[in-house]
Amino acid sequence: MRFDVAIVGAGAAGLHCAAIAGQLGCSVVLLDHAEQVAEKIRISGGGRCNFTNIDVAASNFDSENRAFCRSALARYTPRDFIDLVERHGIAWHEKHQGQLFCDGASGQIIAMLLAECDAGGVQRWQPCRVEAVRVGAAGFELDTPRGPVESARLVVATGGLSIPKIGATDWGYVLARRLGHRVVEPRPALVPFVCDGPRWQPFATLAGVALPVRVEGGHGTRRAEFSDDLLFTHRGMSGPAALQASTYWRPGEAIVVDLAPGQDLARMLVEAKTSRRRLGTVLAELLPRRLAEAWLAPPSGAGRAPGEAEALTTTSSGPPLGDRLVADLRDRDLGALAAGVHRWTPVPTGTEGYRKAEVTAGGVDTRDLDSRGCESRIVPGLHFIGEVVDVTGWLGGYNFQWAWASAAACARAMAADCSTGRGGL
């Protein structure tokens, strides 16, 4: 069978691209090896699908070329997708930091995308593996268990390696490399940190403790800062703040955490000297109690940032640090303690990996793609869209918006060349 467009991968980007291309007049076949379509949509947002964010800009994405996504995002905005959602009668609401969720189950978004594909006459072959791809004189030849497929254009929308239990594979990366494209080394992103070792010991019992923080990850032009909640776990750190920082983190690096953002901790500790209270009592009013106890517990300084005053890191005499009266401590020592809280620098030993990662960072190098339609500069007619590309959004609906926008840019670019009409020949 011959089609204008063959799309491999029936996730968010693949379904949206197929629907738009089909409705613009292309004959489209959509292939996926999995039994179910769009499982990542189904499980996202706690089952309610955080389908976009009202505030989207290129600065919300990490990439070797952070400007690459700007064109697609400008031409297909969150408002465009919201309009589609509303045309299908799907109720939605806004949550924290511009995140948009379905009022009901995420299956509504999947049903909407499938309906849009049906409206475009898209043929869906699923489950159906693509066993081989050849570049021919008239386009692409695909070998599948259902028979060969020929297409003028081929779209790779196979996603990344995150959450392998729902079918993630490296198919897109393998094909890209085989056809001469560079691939930025994939890595887990939006993923919890694993922490251990002596410096982590004071915090190893804090599972379940959560608090708002400001966190920094990365360095130089690949550095980002986020204000959100941090959650201590049995294995390290999670919560939105940790997940955001993980995209920018590299093995061996520290992340920088302000455990008391927006507070002048040094001033508050010095002012507490007018009372006859213990340091542990005062700090427990400014931080979660269990965290305050861990921070002050012996062996002193084990988990705190370097450079604190010697008077606060010695237990050679006197009561434990938490039992000492604030009034008996020097202002500069309290300032050093506050500085450590405001600039805690834990060094994660790793992450929970692809099984817990919400997305995969890295991917097909954007230097080998045209930003207007995500078309290969190396193999004409070959497109890469969505998560398989080296564009990784922040937590909060940004990655879905990249899927919608890159899909729309690709579909519109292809539609200009479609000539056979709908349906296979």
Side-chain angles (χ1 to χ4, degrees):
M1 299 185 72
R2 180 165 182 81
F3 298 85
D4 292 322
V5 177
I7 300 176
V8 183
L15 284 167
H16 199 46
C17 183
I20 295 174
Q23 292 180 32
L24 290 176
C26 298
S27 59
V28 180
V29 62
L30 176 63
L31 310 98
D32 197 295
H33 71 286
E35 293 281 346
Q36 301 293 327
V37 297
E39 280 296 282
K40 187 169 280 189
I41 293 179
R42 192 179 305 279
I43 67 175
S44 70
R48 293 188 183 273
C49 190
N50 179 194
F51 57 83
T52 191
N53 194 293
I54 59 173
D55 297 310
V56 173
S59 58
N60 301 124
F61 296 83
D62 181 55
S63 173
E64 293 288 336
N65 175 13
R66 296 180 70 177
F68 177 83
C69 62
R70 184 176 294 126
S71 174
L73 293 171
R75 289 181 289 129
Y76 192 89
T77 68
R79 184 69 251 177
D80 292 316
F81 195 76
I82 293 168
D83 288 344
L84 178 62
V85 167
E86 292 179 341
R87 285 201 301 274
H88 283 260
I90 300 173
W92 58 272
H93 60 278
E94 180 182 344
K95 292 182 70 175
H96 182 57
Q97 297 182 346
Q99 302 169 20
L100 304 189
F101 290 78
C102 298
D103 287 357
S106 55
Q108 296 174 99
I109 299 295
I110 300 173
M112 176 193 76
L113 294 170
L114 291 175
E116 290 290 307
C117 284
D118 290 343
V122 175
Q123 292 197 30
R124 289 193 294 115
W125 292 11
Q126 188 176 16
C128 183
R129 299 184 314 278
V130 177
E131 298 169 335
V133 174
R134 292 178 296 279
V135 182
F140 302 89
E141 301 170 358
L142 284 62
D143 292 341
T144 83
R146 296 194 186 188
V149 171
E150 295 181 354
S151 65
R153 288 181 178 265
L154 174 63
V155 180
V156 178
T158 48
L161 299 171
S162 56
I163 322 180
K165 68 180 181 181
I166 63 172
T169 75
D170 63 353
W171 192 93
Y173 307 133
V174 171
L175 179 69
R177 287 189 174 107
R178 184 171 69 78
L179 296 181
H181 301 77
R182 293 166 285 191
V183 173
V184 177
E185 190 61 32
R187 64 186 188 280
L190 300 183
V191 61
F193 286 117
V194 173
C195 305
D196 55 31
R199 283 180 64 83
W200 187 253
Q201 208 54 42
F203 310 101
T205 61
L206 295 184
V209 172
L211 72 162
V213 303
R214 185 168 59 246
V215 61
E216 301 173 25
H219 55 273
T221 60
R222 301 291 290 278
R223 172 190 166 277
E225 180 178 306
F226 303 94
S227 294
D228 218 316
D229 290 345
L230 180 74
L231 172 67
F232 288 87
T233 71
H234 290 289
R235 290 171 53 83
M237 293 179 288
S238 188
L243 268 59
Q244 296 278 40
S246 71
T247 297
Y248 296 85
W249 177 80
R250 298 294 185 276
E253 294 181 351
I255 59 171
V256 180
V257 185
D258 183 350
L259 293 166
Q263 301 187 67
D264 186 346
L265 203 59
R267 176 185 61 78
M268 298 169 82
L269 290 173
V270 170
E271 288 177 351
K273 294 179 72 172
T274 59
S275 68
R276 299 295 294 172
R277 290 184 296 166
R278 297 177 298 120
L279 178 59
T281 301
V282 173
L283 195 61
E285 295 174 354
L286 305 173
L287 298 174
R289 178 186 55 79
R290 289 169 58 196
L291 175 58
E293 291 172 352
W295 194 266
L296 298 174
S300 298
R304 294 192 292 275
E308 295 183 21
E310 183 178 352
L312 290 178
T313 58
T314 178
T315 57
S316 57
S317 61
L321 186 55
D323 291 338
R324 296 174 68 177
L325 296 177
V326 181
D328 293 340
L329 299 171
R330 296 176 297 182
D331 289 2
R332 69 181 184 183
D333 295 336
L334 294 173
L337 173 63
V341 173
H342 284 305
R343 191 174 175 81
W344 180 39
T345 55
V347 180
T349 51
T351 72
E352 293 281 5
Y354 288 117
R355 70 184 184 90
K356 290 289 187 71
E358 297 203 10
V359 296
T360 303
V364 178
D365 198 320
T366 58
R367 290 176 296 177
D368 295 334
L369 304 177
D370 186 322
S371 65
R372 292 168 296 181
C374 297
E375 183 175 4
S376 168
R377 299 182 185 277
I378 298 169
V379 181
L382 176 64
H383 301 253
F384 295 89
I385 61 174
E387 191 178 347
V388 74
V389 179
D390 176 35
V391 174
T392 306
W394 292 359
L395 186 72
Y398 297 97
N399 286 292
F400 275 132
Q401 186 58 35
W402 167 244
W404 317 136
S406 60
C410 175
R412 291 165 178 170
M414 295 188 299
D417 292 337
C418 292
S419 59
T420 63
R422 297 176 181 172
L425 298 179

